[in-house]
């Protein structure tokens, strides 16, 4: 059993100035409470629903019914003319949504898999919340892809099913790679959501009655918490954690190839792979900040689990991602500019001073300038609502980024006679619909499954101890693995 | 409530009821499928068997197969050409529509059984020119009264024959398996 | 059974075949409940699944192009040019292609109706054809012959001959042929000038194909002018048919039309100065050639021309040099140059320029269009003056019965002529319109004629070809609706009226009339085919799509007449006041005068502006900036005669002091694709005429008022990408 | 035994450029094109292309398979149309960017005719091909324009569409949600080949033409075999004025534009 030792976040400053005043109990890992009590807290957070919850739930249900299902049905019945897509912007907000949601979904995997692999301890209370975002985000991404198809009822032709026509899907098409990558990612991330959920479901099963008991009993797969079960679970989780990381990177790289493989000014760029992955992380981190903020302030007992330290750590992560993102955006545009292709030049001019340039500048402002400017400040990082606002701005910026890459860049092509500006029409409703569906799923999930991975928190609390080394108060972690 | 239902469903009576329900669902579906496969109602119960048996060539009534895309249905005056010499024509109830059509000059409608969708551009001429006989695709007409489609005329069926006949000839194979040969 | 009878029977039978068009939906896999109806009797020349082709004549304008229509199972599917017809040699224009959208237009007059002037609705008071013929017969026989008027389309076709014969026989005034196209082309002026200088009235033939330098004065011969397909072919030959010689083209016009866009040089000038420029050019050419200026050009002051026209001295000199050095220069007078108060003088000046170049009767010069067979006394289309006289007669109650066929004067005549009131003052108005147009809806009866592709007939060529051509028409499909050939209606009505009427038209039907008219061609041995007797002859006539002389004819012409005359072109381009503009209506190149109800013509972008489905006001961007007008801002154009509203298109190639507007839209009726769409520029035209009686439509002074409204124009072009440097100004 | 490798097949449907010069080709003389739109109308009539109405047309949803482009150059009074009118349609690239991106092979390359095909019934409407077409030559069926109720008449309670009578039975009427584009009038190619084969000969140069070339009053469009050196289209393409558009993208277009002058 190795003993890892590291300073607590902010501990250095505390050590120097207010050595004694820095109470380690402000950190979740050093603020253990009895397991039974913690379990009860989590159970209570699931059970507690107020009229506010149901009101929001109701509004979202109506939004989903109208903006998602009705609007989509209407579009299928009427044809794509109700949307704003046209020549030359054959792709519009649907694909923007797809890329956006896939980006959001990256946060979950990143936080739970990469941070788990690297043993970043602050992740413990919110891995579940992030993983849920992965799964629910991917559902929206998938729906958006299908929305944009002209004949969605024939979309099964994209799957390699044996048929009498002797026709296979075209494996040369980036869309085909996309389909395979996203499918893999959906399956992988759902599994990866489910595995760490099993102990918590078992916990919930043991503490509930009625239909919930049946529900949890079925989902918990008879988990009893024996040594052998834990060993298998850990093996499986480790396996998935390592397996899902390359999938995560590949998915967004492949999504970027939809664009990078195309012969268009602005799209045909070799840096798109990592650029998109970083962009995805950027928006994902922002989204996690928003979700954590909402969880902390709307759900019972969450102020125990989600604390300043988590926002602080997330803020630092966001800042780092923002740095890297800045590099890639610079790289992408400078190389395109340097290429000197006439159509690309036109495109850059268009971004610079066309009618959509406000979006371009806002993107730079929200994605780079604001995170750069404010995330240095510990006060901002540690104030949940401020971090949530920064996260929101980053998400808006990242949405604009995808909007610029798809409809705005599609405006400019090699045939200036066809340049036309895209206006979203029914897409706006459908976008609202996907957001509402995402939130609805999330709200439902918050009352059905424990949003806090209780066992992980408890494991962490057991592993963490404060030790005095010399004069310093040092947090130590015992690694059980 | 749900628990009660499951309890009932696993009781002996419940099992039988569930089995009956599933069976009736399947048979309904089967009946629906069967219905779609039934020959449609035709204005005249035309017996191919009889006409072919009399030695009339297919191309006599469907000459378009030799010239162009569509073999065509015989005009009613063509039927009349022979039938006017047959006494039974005037008396037979089955042939009444033809007699009426001839008198009034207004035709009647057949429901074609061997059909390709409108996005397939099938032309009879090259197939006849390639030495295919009618029965290769349309079955043995000496055995049927109203024409029935002996096989599902789908793309796999077309392709299997195209591949078979073009085996060994690369240029021909390219032409015969080209999407643009039938779809445009 | 003669040829024509079997063909007619066949057409009736094909209606049954038309019902078999079952595979038309395109909705997924064809349902098994598709039904097929075989013919009761197979029409001749018809095979299952194979097309039948019929030669006929395009009726979309008066040029008389031969077309071949592909039909299948009784449906007309595609119009293709008749490669044998010397006018178009197998080519067609967009309007010819879209003629099928007229044939199958969802808005046709399907039955004879008692319309009762109940515009804007098509009446549902159906009458039988017997009643209809009785009505026509009564109108003919119970009215004083001098109080009957016939108003027809421009095409010199068999129906015109028939009606002329009838009018002659009963002592009624000769039928008038009119269309907006002939008005905007100022055909009467050109005809008069040709009579004065060439010695033969009618439309001269400009042999563009053999010319080296073409100087066009507003002649938009690539769009709608006289015989556009023939002249486009001439243009192509002028450019590319000769080794090492590429013809050069200069175009004088206030705005850049589609034709001007194809010129090597477009020289903008003020409207009304075309004649002056021609005279100045003549003088300069004479100087360059080192001969004394002929009398025609002697009196012009070149410097003054430079000042009034806005054409610089350098430009004039360069064009003069081009003409002087060329072997075969050709000057063409177009509608915009002639539709001026000095139009006749301008036409003569431009023709005199040709005389100076000594190209009369020469290849690459001005030739006399050979008279088509059966031309008889040449009757040109009515000019605006004659239409105005007709309107005056109608208003004063001197016309009791008006028959209208093939023309829509409520739309095509400027509103200021007062045709609406004139119609009101006419007791009986009988329209033979195929489509529910404005005039038809304002008449007492509509006895619909077949569509051109459903009818028999012939049509004489007017110009565009150096052969004598009589294009033949035959029905390519059976009539879709309960319509009847107007010629048949007149023949029947005349028979019913008896007496001199029956004697005037002693024919069984339209086909017999046509045969009687083409019978004299059997004797001619120089034709495209020879036949011993009329049945064989008319069979060939239908098969080939007409009859034409097998070789070109040309007469020698003398230039002396033209050069000896003293020409004095008065300057009309007076100064314009503040916020005053020269107004230039022009016929839309894609719609023509009657294309607005054909949806695919509406969807065709205008060649110069790429606007679809609407009317626009072309305005120089600089002018628009000064007035504070943006693209798509609706402006009101006001003249003393009226006003019209349309959105602005900032057009970079128009004189800053002029605004232009296409004619062709602005219908209040004429079917769902035309009604309520765009605006009609003739609403602002005042009835002022030139010496030849043509409307002086070009360069009328108008004011422009902003309305504060906006109406986005549908353009095919990008609003971002086509203006080069200023690409981001537009939004 | 020697293995022969068909580069077209190995090369990811054109990833390795076709060595051959193609089969059917076209030359368009911009000096002659008068922009008269006859080709556009002829194309629409031949190929059952739907019109879309004013609003959709202005919004960039026209279905034209061929469009005539024109660009302004200079300012008044020296303004002119740069290089003349330019008809633009599918260039039938030998190495087409649209082909590899379709996930369902709805726009494969015809090895027999060397054309880019569009198989309407296979298309699921991802519109990737249209995005990737550098010529913007593809148009999408945004809705069932042909059966819009306002285009029909009520006859005895049933909606009938008189305009449908004009449809060409040789060309599929496309429904909504599928991509379409210029086919070089492949139905005419097939017809001519079928006729020639039944007469035991090759298709002759100029024996048939696509609807646009057939209608063009100025004869600006020439169509034929570009792999036959003596065909008219080869001669015109090679006379020295020829330019192929966006050749630097290595699309191997089959349409040659002849410059003005």
């Amino acid at each position: 059993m190795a003993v890892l030792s590291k300073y607590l976040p902010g501990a250095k400053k505390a050590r120097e100035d207010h050595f004694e005043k820095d109470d380690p109990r402000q950190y979740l890992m050093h603020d253990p409470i009895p397991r039974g009590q913690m379990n009860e807290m989590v159970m209570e957070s699931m059970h507690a629903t107020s009229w506010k919850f149901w009101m929001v739930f109701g509004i979202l249900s109506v939004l989903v019914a109208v903006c998602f299902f009705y609007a989509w049905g209407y579009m299928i019945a009427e044809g794509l003319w109700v949307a704003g897509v046209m020549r030359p912007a054959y792709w519009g907000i649907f694909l923007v949504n797809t890329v956006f949601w896939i980006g959001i979904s990256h946060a979950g995997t990143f936080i739970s898999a990469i941070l788990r692999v690297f043993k970043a301890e602050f992740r413990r209370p919110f891995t579940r919340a992030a993983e849920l975002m992965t799964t629910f985000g991917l559902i929206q991404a998938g729906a958006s892809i299908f929305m944009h198809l002209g004949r969605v009822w024939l979309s099964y032709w994209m799957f390699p099913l044996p048929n009498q026509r002797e026709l296979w899907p075209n494996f040369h098409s980036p869309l085909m790679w996309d389909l395979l990558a996203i499918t893999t990612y959906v399956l992988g991330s759902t599994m990866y959501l489910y595995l760490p959920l099993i102990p918590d479901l078992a916990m919930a099963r043991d503490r509930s009655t009625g239909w919930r008991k049946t529900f949890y009993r079925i989902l918990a797969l008879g988990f009893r918490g024996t040594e052998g079960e834990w060993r298998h679970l850990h093996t499986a989780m480790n396996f998935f954690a390592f397996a899902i990381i390359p999938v995560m990177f590949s998915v967004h790289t492949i999504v970027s190839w939809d664009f990078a493989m195309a012969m268009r000014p602005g799209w045909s760029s070799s840096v798109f792979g990592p650029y998109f992955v970083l962009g995805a992380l950027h928006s994902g981190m922002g989204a996690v900040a928003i979700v954590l903020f909402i969880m902390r302030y709307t759900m019972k007992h969450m102020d125990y689990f989600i604390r300043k330290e988590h926002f602080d750590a997330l803020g630092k992560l966001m800042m780092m991602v923002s740095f890297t993102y800045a590099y890639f955006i610079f790289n992408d545009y400078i190389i395109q500019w340097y290429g000197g292709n006439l159509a690309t030049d036109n495109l850059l001019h268009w971004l610079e001073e066309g009618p959509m340039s406000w979006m371009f500048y806002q993107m730079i402002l929200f994605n780079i300038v604001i995170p750069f400017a404010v995330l240095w400040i510990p006060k901002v990082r540690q104030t949940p609502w401020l971090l949530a606002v920064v996260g929101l701005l980053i998400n808006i910026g990242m949405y604009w980024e995808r909007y610029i890459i798809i409809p705005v860049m599609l405006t400019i092509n090699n045939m200036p006679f066809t340049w036309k500006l895209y206006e979203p029409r029914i897409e706006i409703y459908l976008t609202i619909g996907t957001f509402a569906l995402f939130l609805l799923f999330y709200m439902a999930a918050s009352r059905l499954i424990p949003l806090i991975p209780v066992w992980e928190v408890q494991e962490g609390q057991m592993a963490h101890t404060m030790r005095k080394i010399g004069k310093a108060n040092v947090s130590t972690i015992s690694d059980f693995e | 409530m749900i628990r009660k239902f499951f309890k009932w469903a696993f009781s002996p009576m419940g099992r039988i009821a569930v089995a009956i329900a599933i069976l009736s669902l399947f048979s309904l579906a089967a009946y629906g499928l069967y219905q779609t496969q039934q020959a449609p109602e035709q204005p005249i119960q035309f017996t191919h068997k009889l006409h072919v048996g009399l030695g009339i060539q297919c191309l006599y009534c469907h000459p378009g197969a030799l010239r162009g895309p569509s073999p065509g249905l015989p005009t009613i005056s063509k039927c009349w050409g022979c039938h006017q010499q047959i006494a039974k024509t005037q008396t037979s109830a089955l042939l009444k529509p033809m007699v009426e059509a001839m008198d009034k000059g207004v035709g009647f409608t057949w429901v074609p059984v061997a059909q390709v969708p409108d996005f397939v551009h099938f032309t009879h001429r090259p197939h006849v020119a390639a030495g295919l006989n009618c029965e290769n695709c349309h079955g043995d007409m000496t055995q049927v009264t109203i024409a029935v489609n002996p096989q599902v005329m789908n793309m796999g069926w077309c392709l299997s024959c195209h591949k078979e006949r073009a085996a060994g000839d690369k240029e021909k194979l390219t032409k015969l398996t080209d999407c643009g040969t039938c779809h445009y | 059974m003669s040829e024509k009878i079997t063909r007619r029977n066949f057409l009736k039978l094909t209606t049954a075949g038309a019902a078999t068009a079952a595979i038309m939906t395109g909705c997924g896999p064809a349902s098994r409940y598709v039904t097929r109806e075989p013919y009761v009797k197979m029409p001749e020349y018809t095979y299952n699944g194979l097309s039948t082709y019929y030669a006929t004549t395009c009726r979309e304008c008066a040029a008389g192009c031969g077309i071949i229509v592909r039909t299948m199972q009784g449906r007309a599917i595609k119009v293709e040019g008749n490669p044998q017809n010397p006018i178009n040699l197998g080519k067609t224009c967009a309007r010819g292609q879209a003629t099928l959208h007229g044939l199958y237009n969802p808005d046709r007059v399907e039955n004879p109706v008692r319309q009762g002037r109940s515009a804007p609705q098509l009446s549902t008071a159906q009458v039988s054809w017997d009643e209809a013929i009785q009505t026509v017969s009564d109108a003919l026989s119970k009215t004083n012959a001098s109080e009957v008027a016939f108003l027809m389309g421009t095409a010199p076709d068999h129906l015109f001959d028939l009606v002329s014969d009838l009018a002659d026989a009963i002592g009624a005034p000769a039928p008038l042929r009119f269309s907006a196209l002939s008005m905007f082309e100022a055909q009467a002026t050109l005809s008069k000038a040709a009579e004065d200088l060439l010695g033969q009235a009618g439309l001269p033939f400009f042999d563009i194909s053999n010319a080296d330098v073409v100087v066009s004065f507003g002649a938009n011969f690539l769009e709608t002018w006289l015989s556009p397909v023939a002249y486009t072919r001439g243009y192509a030959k002028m450019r590319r048919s000769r080794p090492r010689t590429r013809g050069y083209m200069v175009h004088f016009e206030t705005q850049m039309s589609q034709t001007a866009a194809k010129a090597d040089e477009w020289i903008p000038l003020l409207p009304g100065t075309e004649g002056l420029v021609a005279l100045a050019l003549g003088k300069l050419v004479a100087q360059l050639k080192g001969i004394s200026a002929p009398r025609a050009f002697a009196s012009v002051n070149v410097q003054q021309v430079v000042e009034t026209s806005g054409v610089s001295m350098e430009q004039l000199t360069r064009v003069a040099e081009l003409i002087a050095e060329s072997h075969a220069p050709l000057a063409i007078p177009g509608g915009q140059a002639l539709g001026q108060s000095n139009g006749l003088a301008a036409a003569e000046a431009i023709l005199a320029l040709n005389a100076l170049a000594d190209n009369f009767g020469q290849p690459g010069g001005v030739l006399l269009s050979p008279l088509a067979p059966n031309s008889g006394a040449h009757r040109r289309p009515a000019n605006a003056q004659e239409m105005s006289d007709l309107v005056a007669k109608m208003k004063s109650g001197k016309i009791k019965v008006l028959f209208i066929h093939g023309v829509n004067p409520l739309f095509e005549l400027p509103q200021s002529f007062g045709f609406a009131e004139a119609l009101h003052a006419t007791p009986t108005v009988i329209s033979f319109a195929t489509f529910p147009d404005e005039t038809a809806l304002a008449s007492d009866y509509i006895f619909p004629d077949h569509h051109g592709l459903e009818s028999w007939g012939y049509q004489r060529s007017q110009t565009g070809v150096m052969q004598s051509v009589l294009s033949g028409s035959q029905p390519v499909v059976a009539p879709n609706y309960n319509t009847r050939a107007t010629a048949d209606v007149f023949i029947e009505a005349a028979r019913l009226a008896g007496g001199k009427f029956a004697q005037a038209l002693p024919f069984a039907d339209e086909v017999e009339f046509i045969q009687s008219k083409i019978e004299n061609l059997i004797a001619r041995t120089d034709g495209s085919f020879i036949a011993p007797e009329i049945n064989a002859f008319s069979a060939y006539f239908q098969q080939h799509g007409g009859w034409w002389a097998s070789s070109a004819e040309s007469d020698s012409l003398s230039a002396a007449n033209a050069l000896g005359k003293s020409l004095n072109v008065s300057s009309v381009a007076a100064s314009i006041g503040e916020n005053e503009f020269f107004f230039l209506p022009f016929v839309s190149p894609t719609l023509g005068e009657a294309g607005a109800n054909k949806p695919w013509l509406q969807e065709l972008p205008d060649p110069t502006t790429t606007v679809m489905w609407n009317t626009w006001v072309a305005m120089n961007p600089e002018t628009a900036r000064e007035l504070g007008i943006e693209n798509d801002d609706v402006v009101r154009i006001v003249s003393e005669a009226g006003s019209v509203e349309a959105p602005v298109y900032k057009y970079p190639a128009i004189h800053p002091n002029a605004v232009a507007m296409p004619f062709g839209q602005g219908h209040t009726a004429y079917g769902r694709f035309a009604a309520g769409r765009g605006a009609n520029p003739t609403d602002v035209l005042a009835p002022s005429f030139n010496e030849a009686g043509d409307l002086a439509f070009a360069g009328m002074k108008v004011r422009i008022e902003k309305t504060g409204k906006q109406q986005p124009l549908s353009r095919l072009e990008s609003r971002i990408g086509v203006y080069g440097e200023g690409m981001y100004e537009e939004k | 035994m020697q293995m022969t490798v068909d580069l077209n097949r190995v090369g990811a449907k054109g990833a390795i450029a076709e060595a051959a010069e193609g089969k059917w080709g076209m030359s368009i003389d911009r000096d002659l094109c008068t922009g008269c739109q006859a080709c556009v109308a002829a194309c629409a009539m031949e190929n059952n292309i739907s019109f879309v109405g004013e609003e959709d047309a202005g919004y960039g949803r026209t279905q034209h398979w061929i469009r005539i482009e024109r660009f302004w150059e200079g300012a008044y009074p020296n303004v002119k149309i740069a290089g003349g009118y330019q008809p633009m349609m599918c260039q039938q690239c030998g190495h087409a960017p649209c082909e590899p991106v379709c996930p369902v092979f709805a726009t494969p390359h015809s090895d027999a005719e060397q054309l880019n095909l569009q198989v309407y019934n296979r298309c699921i409407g991802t519109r990737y091909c249209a995005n990737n077409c550098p010529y913007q030559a593809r148009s999408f069926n945004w809705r069932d324009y042909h059966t819009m109720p306002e285009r029909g008449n009520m006859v005895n309670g049933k909606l009938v569409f008189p305009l449908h009578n004009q449809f060409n039975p040789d060309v599929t009427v496309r429904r909504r949600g599928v991509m379409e584009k210029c086919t070089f009038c492949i139905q005419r190619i097939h017809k001519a080949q079928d006729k020639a084969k039944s007469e035991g000969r090759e298709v002759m140069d100029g024996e048939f033409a696509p609807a646009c070339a057939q209608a063009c009053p100025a004869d600006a469009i020439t169509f034929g075999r570009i792999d036959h050196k003596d065909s008219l289209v080869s001669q015109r393409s090679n006379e020295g004025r020829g330019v192929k558009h966006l050749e630097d993208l290595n699309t191997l277009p089959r349409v040659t534009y002849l410059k003005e002058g």
Side-chain angles (χ1 to χ4, degrees), chain C residues 218-303:
Chain C
N220 46 1
F221 56 84
L222 299 178
E223 299 156 54
T224 52
W225 193 67
L226 301 180
S227 189
V229 175
Y231 279 123
T232 304
R233 189 179 64 241
Y235 164 82
K237 282 191 168 170
M238 182 266 284
R239 288 287 205 212
R240 285 276 155 224
S241 70
R242 295 160 292 180
R244 288 182 297 283
T245 308
R246 177 176 178 273
Y248 195 84
M249 183 171 158
V250 181
H251 196 97
F252 289 98
E253 198 175 9
T254 314
Q255 63 143 337
M256 187 192 273
S257 61
Q258 181 199 338
T259 312
K262 285 310 290 177
D264 298 277
E265 260 180 85
W266 164 63
I267 302 178
L269 78 184
L270 282 178
T273 60
E274 288 91 344
L276 288 172
V277 168
L279 287 184
L281 280 177
K283 194 167 188 180
L284 290 172
V285 168
Q287 277 171 14
L288 285 166
K289 279 190 169 176
I291 53 173
S292 65
R295 219 175 132 212
F297 306 108
S299 62
V300 70
N301 180 343
V302 176
Q303 198 52 47

Side-chain angles (χ1 to χ4, degrees), chain D residues 89-146:
Chain D
M89 77 292 269
C90 174
Q91 309 282 304
Q92 309 290 354
C93 305
H95 183 186
C98 55
E99 284 167 4
V101 299
C102 177
V104 293
F105 281 128
T107 176
H109 200 74
S110 165
D111 292 326
E113 305 300 337
Q114 298 292 346
L115 299 173
N116 308 129
L117 302 173
Q118 177 66 35
V119 185
Y120 311 120
N121 48 311
R122 182 69 178 170
C123 179
I124 59 172
T126 66
R127 307 190 293 290
Y128 200 169
C129 52
N131 271 346
N132 214 18
C133 173
Y135 305 96
Q136 293 293 309
R138 290 169 162 265
S139 52
F140 189 71
N141 286 274
W142 302 105
R143 69 187 294 186
D144 284 328
Y145 288 105
H146 282 306

Side-chain angles (χ1 to χ4, degrees), chain A residues 261-337:
Chain A
M261 293 282 167
M263 244 169 153
R264 289 190 69 99
W267 280 13
S268 186
S269 163
S270 52
V271 80
F272 260 31
Y275 174 37
F276 267 51
V277 172
L278 253 296
L281 288 182
H282 203 25
S283 60
M285 294 298 152
V288 170
I290 302 169
V291 164
L292 289 192
F293 169 75
I294 295 174
M295 268 168 69
R296 183 180 155 107
Y297 287 101
T298 55
M299 285 174 75
K300 222 169 173 180
H301 303 308
M302 282 299 151
D303 45 353
Y304 169 76
F305 291 105
I306 296 164
R307 304 183 176 207
K308 267 187 189 172
E309 54 162 329
H310 301 119
F311 286 98
D312 188 63
L314 197 59
K316 285 177 186 165
L317 206 52
M318 279 159 74
M319 191 165 63
M320 282 316 296
V321 173
S322 163
F323 284 172
T324 335
Y325 177 81
Y327 165 72
F328 276 114
I329 203 166
F330 175 73
N331 185 326
D332 181 34
Y333 282 100
I334 198 90
I335 296 219
Q336 294 203 28
W337 169 76

Side-chain angles (χ1 to χ4, degrees), chain B residues 118 121, chain C residues 18 20-27 51 69-79 97 100-101 103-105 477 599-600, chain D residues 42-51 63 141 143-148 151 160-175 180 187 191:
Chain B
D118 55 356
H121 293 277
Chain C
T20 63
I23 40 169
M24 287 295 109
T25 54
C27 295
S51 313
V69 183
R70 177 184 172 204
T71 69
M72 205 161 167
Q73 323 276 266
R75 295 180 294 119
I77 287 171
K78 179 78 182 17
V79 168
Q97 286 291 340
L100 293 170
H101 271 191
L103 175 65
Y104 293 122
N105 200 292
V477 289
W600 250 109
Chain D
C43 176
M45 293 292 142
E46 171 75 14
N47 291 305
N48 304 336
I49 303 171
S50 53
F51 53 94
Q63 302 273 56
N141 286 274
R143 69 187 294 186
D144 284 328
Y145 288 105
H146 282 306
T147 49
M148 280 162 71
R151 295 186 184 180
V160 295
F161 297 92
L163 283 172
H164 290 192
N165 284 319
Q166 182 265 326
F167 282 162
N168 183 355
D170 297 343
V171 180
T172 310
V173 179
R174 282 81 57 189
R175 68 172 308 175
E180 60 185 53
Q187 69 278 13
K191 228 173 210 182

Side-chain angles (χ1 to χ4, degrees), chain D residues 6-254:
Chain D
D6 182 349
L7 290 183
N8 283 327
R9 288 183 177 281
V10 172
K13 275 281 163 196
I16 297 173
E18 278 173 49
E21 64 266 70
K23 192 170 175 185
W24 303 103
M26 198 179 260
S27 79
I28 297 178
D29 196 335
R30 290 179 70 182
D31 199 14
L32 298 186
C33 175
T34 67
C36 72
Q37 312 283 346
C39 50
V40 184
C43 176
M45 293 292 142
E46 171 75 14
N47 291 305
N48 304 336
I49 303 171
S50 53
F51 53 94
V52 302
E54 180 169 10
E55 197 197 328
D56 276 8
Y59 187 55
R61 285 176 175 171
T62 47
Q63 302 273 56
H64 305 121
W65 284 6
I66 175 171
R67 62 171 186 269
I68 297 180
E69 302 189 338
R70 63 108 183 76
F71 298 96
W72 294 113
E73 189 177 74
Y76 180 86
N78 297 317
V79 63
K80 61 182 282 202
I81 288 176
Y85 289 103
Q86 171 175 295
M88 182 54 68
M89 77 292 269
C90 174
Q91 309 282 304
Q92 309 290 354
C93 305
H95 183 186
C98 55
E99 284 167 4
V101 299
C102 177
V104 293
F105 281 128
T107 176
H109 200 74
S110 165
D111 292 326
E113 305 300 337
Q114 298 292 346
L115 299 173
N116 308 129
L117 302 173
Q118 177 66 35
V119 185
Y120 311 120
N121 48 311
R122 182 69 178 170
C123 179
I124 59 172
T126 66
R127 307 190 293 290
Y128 200 169
C129 52
N131 271 346
N132 214 18
C133 173
Y135 305 96
Q136 293 293 309
R138 290 169 162 265
S139 52
F140 189 71
N141 286 274
W142 302 105
R143 69 187 294 186
D144 284 328
Y145 288 105
H146 282 306
T147 49
M148 280 162 71
E150 55 265 37
R151 295 186 184 180
N153 289 335
M154 284 306 264
V155 176
N156 303 327
K158 244 179 94 179
L159 203 56
V160 295
F161 297 92
L163 283 172
H164 290 192
N165 284 319
Q166 182 265 326
F167 282 162
N168 183 355
D170 297 343
V171 180
T172 310
V173 179
R174 282 81 57 189
R175 68 172 308 175
R176 70 161 185 271
V178 303
M179 192 56 77
E180 60 185 53
K181 66 164 191 83
C182 163
T183 60
F184 267 9
C185 285
I186 193 171
Q187 69 278 13
R188 293 188 176 204
I189 295 178
H190 281 312
K191 228 173 210 182
Q193 280 179 341
D194 193 31
K195 184 160 179 273
K197 203 176 170 194
S198 72
E199 291 167 9
R201 58 175 173 85
E202 284 283 297
V203 178
M204 291 178 292
D205 190 35
E207 182 181 339
F208 76 102
C212 54
Q214 191 190 30
C216 180
D219 252 334
I221 306 178
T222 317
F223 179 81
R225 293 286 291 262
I226 44 172
D227 52 345
H228 291 176
K229 287 292 156 241
D230 49 348
S231 68
L232 188 59
V233 62
S234 293
Q235 288 170 6
R236 288 200 178 171
S237 303
N238 298 330
E239 75 179 35
R241 292 187 290 142
V243 172
K244 289 183 174 177
H245 278 311
L246 301 178
E247 232 181 346
D248 54 325
L249 297 177
N250 194 24
T251 51
L252 303 183
R254 302 293 190 227

Side-chain angles (χ1 to χ4, degrees), chain C residues 95 588-592 601 604-607, chain D residues 36-37:
Chain C
R95 276 163 290 141
S588 160
T590 48
L591 291 178
L601 286 185
L604 291 183
D606 176 79
Chain D
C36 72
Q37 312 283 346

